[in-house]
Structure formats: structure tokens, C-alpha cells
Amino acid sequence: MNPAENPFLSPSDLPYGLPPFQRIREEHYVPAFEQGMAEHLAEVAAIADNPERPTFENTIEALERAGALLDRVSAVFFNRASSDTTPGIQKIQQDVTPRLAKHADAVHLNAKLFARIRAVEAGGEEERWLLDRYLTDFTRAGALLDAADQERLRGLNERLSELATTFQQNLLADTNDRAVVVDEAAELDGLTEDAVRGLAETARERGLDGKHVITLVLPTGQPSLASLTDRSLRERVHTASIGRGAANAELIREMALLRRERARLLGYADHAEYVLADQTAGTTGAVTEMLAKLVPPAVANARREQAELEELAGHAVRPWDWAFYAEKAREARYDIDGARLRPYFELNAVLEKGVFYAATRLYGITFTERKDLAGYHPDVRVFEVFDSGGAPLGLFLGDFHARASKRGGAWMNSLVRQSALEGARPVVVNNLNIVKGEPTLMTFDEVNTMFHEFGHALHALFSDVRFPRFSGTAVPRDFVEYPSQVNEMWATHPEILANYAKHYETGEPMPQELVDRLLESQKFNQGFATVEYLAATLLDWAWHTEYSGEDPAAFETKALADVGVDLPAVPPRYRSTYFSHIWAGGYSAGYYSYIWSEVLDADTVEWFNENGGLLRENGDRFRRELLSKGGSVDPMAAFRAFRGRDPEITPLLARRGLL
């Protein structure tokens, strides 16, 4: 294959190794994957067969350098499959995903290679940690199993990868298909004019001129439910949301059973125990204990909130009513409503005068838009990031708008990983799902999400490690959300909020009385928020500790009832059939990590507040001790180096009103 014909076959010559998106076509992916896997296996074989004595350099470091082509095509393809898929991309994904699982097994189950790794002696601290991670990775991948068990493991991994891909594609199709079509604009009473225009534009894009289309976001709760006055339309939207993924019921039944079988093959009682063995929580007991502490006060709070809402509504509150009456209660209590806030949250202002400004104030970094560099979609904006002294740091790509080709939710991907070994600087992308408008006005939840995802981006941009294996967010799943959750604190910091929260038409700052009420309202409805999250977390936990083949819908109902979170008016943030995090997103038996990380986050926010808040020396400390380390040190050791002690749960309990 000619490198001139396939841009993946040679390193990009664009700044920072940005993939040459304008040259990439769908027909390039499969040949690049195939050659990438072949090259990687050849490199692995050369390492395994090396007649020289195993050393860190000729074994571990050599493995870190191997697979460059496969890394390049994988980073681009899987971001594209999530952000801007097509029928062609989906077909490639179905074909290549099980082949990649098979390829990973071919590496991890190479007996000669594993024997060589076990014979290596490492020198420095980072080298010793990397060797330990390789030994752990290979052992957890089945390197110590006998030949028969390894063969069964290969089959399990291949089938699970097929099922995860099918789940994701089913969900995307069903989410698009279940978008709610509204015939009469009058039914949309309660929405702002710009929101109604956005729904009309979505309808036009779907060939439904004259109508309006309410698309669905990934969680159960849909943003429009807080504003729509038409109760029957609210019910239609909610019903569409919770009905997603019916075709996935049998898939998740099979996935749960296969995961349990794989865990037992590897010597664990269940999939949760397998996952937790390599997380900061350490044991399933630690997670169970934490969740048990949170459920009773959270449910009690939610029941109190429900009673208040029903008094306001004058009738029983159903799931499609909660957000609407909660917004009414918020307005009554704090004299604040979402429609009044949105004009102060224009997307470009939030990004540049909020998210970027906070990073400049805290870390000294600056941003320059590079309109000469193309993203993978016309919506994608490319920014060059410079360090405090003006040195180039990396590239940040922002892909903020919703579209039918993008999966729901918000996330960060690394397109190029920082590593001193390869002389690579980071290229990272944030994906959100904000409906495009003229202008694009955001809810405060969307503002918070933008700050959150940029926290992940900072984790990658500040990475200062030698080895690719440790780059950026390559940390345990129950630690990865911690830095991003900390970054949310700057969304409401007085100086930052004052800089970006200005009316998109007049430029007038948000009135201080409105700011005050916004801040006061942040603890409002925390019973609901905590219970909907815990319900999803406990579903994930039940699927991966208790499931033994029951009907998925019946199992879900019983699992929630058994732990006392079966509040009909508060559905889980994700029901099982559209719980993409745990079936296709890497969070299986790990959705608890958001609240586990929030313990660290709340404690860290308290540290910032105790030490002067938005100061360069505080940002520099957080960057030096934690963000720059990636996975190169034990994550809890990094936390202790920053905080000076182990984390405490009290700040989290206070934040969520659970004391």
C-alpha cells in the first residue's frame, strides 16, 4: 500500500501530529487497521524472540514504541465512530472491533513475551511502575491461564467486543428514531424562541419542514421536560426516552453472563471483583459500603422534595412532571428560571471567556484558534495551546454541537498522546451535544458539562510523562473523573462567571442578584439528582455482581427495589437498555467512579477555597502534583502529595446535603 494513497501509513506532518482529516476517506481505515495489526504483531514477535538478555530497554520500552500505525488509525477511527458516524463507518466498526479484541489477546497471551517481561528488572521509579503495570495487564488478560482456558478467553473477548459495538449502534439508531415530532408550535409553550427555532431547524434537516423535532439526549431526563407546559407532550418525551434500546435487552443479558464467565475464568467471583482489583477502591466491599452510606439520606431527601413538588402541583408527580415542577419550585424559591439564564450563556463566550479564561488565570496557558487546521467535521474548532512561557503545549479540538451522526452524552478523546519517549505533544478533543442555534445559548447544566470535559482535556494537555502507557487520562476508571469534576468549580467562581455570563445581545453582565440566586440554587433538588445517579450506579453494580440470566426488565425492577431506591417518580439516570457507559463505554462495574471521584473532588475544592481559590500558585501545585503525572504514579499517592493527607468524605456529604 502506498503511503501517499493512505494517510495513516506515515506519521502526520501537520502541527503536533494532528491527523490529516481532509485526506482521510472511509476506504483508508480497514487497510490501515490490517497493516497496523500486522506490523504490531511483527514488532511484538521481534521483542519476544530477541536472543539478548531481557532488559527494560529491549522489552518494556520496545513494547511502548510498538504499534504506532495501529495507534494512529485507532485514535481517529473510534473518535469518528462516536462523533460523526455513517453506515460505512458502522460496518467497519462491526468488522474491525472483534478483530482488535483478537489482536489484543494475541499480544497478551504470547507466552514467550510474558516470560520475557517477567525476567525484566527495572531501575527508576517510573520504570518500576511501568513494569508493574505490564505484569498486571498481562496477568489480568489471562497470561497465567492454561492453553484451553486461554482459548475460551479469546472467544469471550471477541464476542463481547461484537456485542458492545452492536449495542452502541442499536442505541444511536433508536435514539434518532425515537425523536419526538411535534406538529403544532403551540404545543411547545414554555420553550424559549431560540429553542423553538432550533427544533424547527432539526425538523428541516430531517425533511419535516413546518414541524418541530425534539431529539433525545443520552440520560433518562430530557432537558425540555423542565420547560414544556403541555403535560401530554412531556409524557411523550419521557416515554420515548425510557423506551430506547429494546433491541439491546438480549444483548445485555448475554454480555452480563459472558463477563461473569470471564471473571471466574480469571479467578474472580464476578465481574465487579475483577474490575475493582485494579481500581483505587480496591475491593467490592469498599464500594458497597460507600453506596450503603449514601442511599438512605439521598432517598429521604428525594421523598421530601417529592412531597413539596406534589403540594405545588396539586397532583401526584410522575417522572415527566418532576423537572417541570422542580423548575417552578426553583423559580418560586430563588426567583430564577432557566429561560432567563440562557441569554447569558452564549456558547462562544462560555468557551473563550469562561473555560479558557479560567485555565489562563489558574495555569497561565493561552489559546489561539487555528483556522488553517481542519477538524474531522465542519463544526470542529481547532485551538493551539501555549504554556505560560509561550512554549507550545498541544492542540485542543472542540466539537460541541449535537447531530444525528453523533452518539449522546459528552466525552473527551486523545488523538495524539503526550510522551517524552516519542517526542509527542497532546492533541485532544472534547465532544458535547448542544443543539446549534443562532446564537447557541446554553443551559447552566451544559455550561457545567463544558467545564467538566475541559477538565479531562487539561489532564491530557498537562501530561508530562515519558511513556505513552501513562499519558494523560491513563489512570484507573474511578480516578479519571476526579480532575474533570474539580474543573467544574470554576464555572461558578465569581471572577470567572462575571467574565463570561454576559447577555448575548446587550453585553450586560448577569445581574448580581441573579448570580446570587443561581449560586444559592445549586443545592436545590439534590435529593433527586443523587437518587437518579445512585439508581444507575446500583443497576450497574447489580448487573455485575448478582445477575444470573433473569429477564432484564424484571431484574432491573427487582435490583432497584432490593436496595430501596425504587421511587417511581425518580427513574435511574440510565435504564439498562440505554446505559451506554457500562455496555459500550468502559464503565462496567465502574459507574460508581463518579461519586467515588467526587469524594476526592469535593475535598480538593475545599483545599482551593482554603488556600485562596483562583491563584496561579494553586493551579501550579495541582498541575505539578497531580495533572502532570498521568498514570505514572499510584493515583492515591498523587492525591496525598497534593492534599497532604488521605481524602475525607465530609465535604461531599455537605455538598449533596447528606449530612
Side-chain angles (χ1 to χ4, degrees), residues 166-183:
T166 304
F167 178 98
Q168 180 177 322
Q169 294 182 357
N170 284 350
L171 179 55
L172 176 61
D174 204 20
T175 298
N176 286 329
D177 291 345
R178 287 180 176 270
V180 177
V181 179
V182 180
D183 294 325

Side-chain angles (χ1 to χ4, degrees), residues 216-292:
L216 302 177
V217 298
L218 187 58
T220 298
Q222 301 299 311
S224 60
L225 296 183
S227 304
L228 289 169
T229 61
D230 188 324
R231 193 180 188 206
S232 64
L233 180 55
R234 294 203 305 268
E235 183 176 1
R236 284 177 59 201
V237 172
H238 175 76
T239 301
S241 177
I242 64 170
R244 285 174 293 166
N248 286 334
E250 287 305 309
L251 296 184
I252 63 178
R253 179 204 295 268
E254 185 178 356
M255 290 181 79
L257 293 175
L258 293 182
R259 285 173 175 173
R260 183 180 69 172
E261 181 183 352
R262 181 175 61 183
R264 291 180 176 177
L265 194 66
L266 292 166
Y268 298 91
D270 50 46
H271 183 70
E273 184 176 281
Y274 166 75
V275 169
L276 267 292
D278 198 36
Q279 301 297 310
T280 63
T283 67
T284 56
V287 174
T288 301
E289 180 181 355
M290 177 191 68
L291 296 176

Side-chain angles (χ1 to χ4, degrees), residues 542-564:
W543 276 105
H544 295 109
T545 57
E546 301 173 12
Y547 187 70
S548 58
E550 304 94 316
D551 171 73
F555 177 77
E556 177 178 289
T557 300
K558 184 176 184 301
L560 293 176
D562 285 349
V563 292

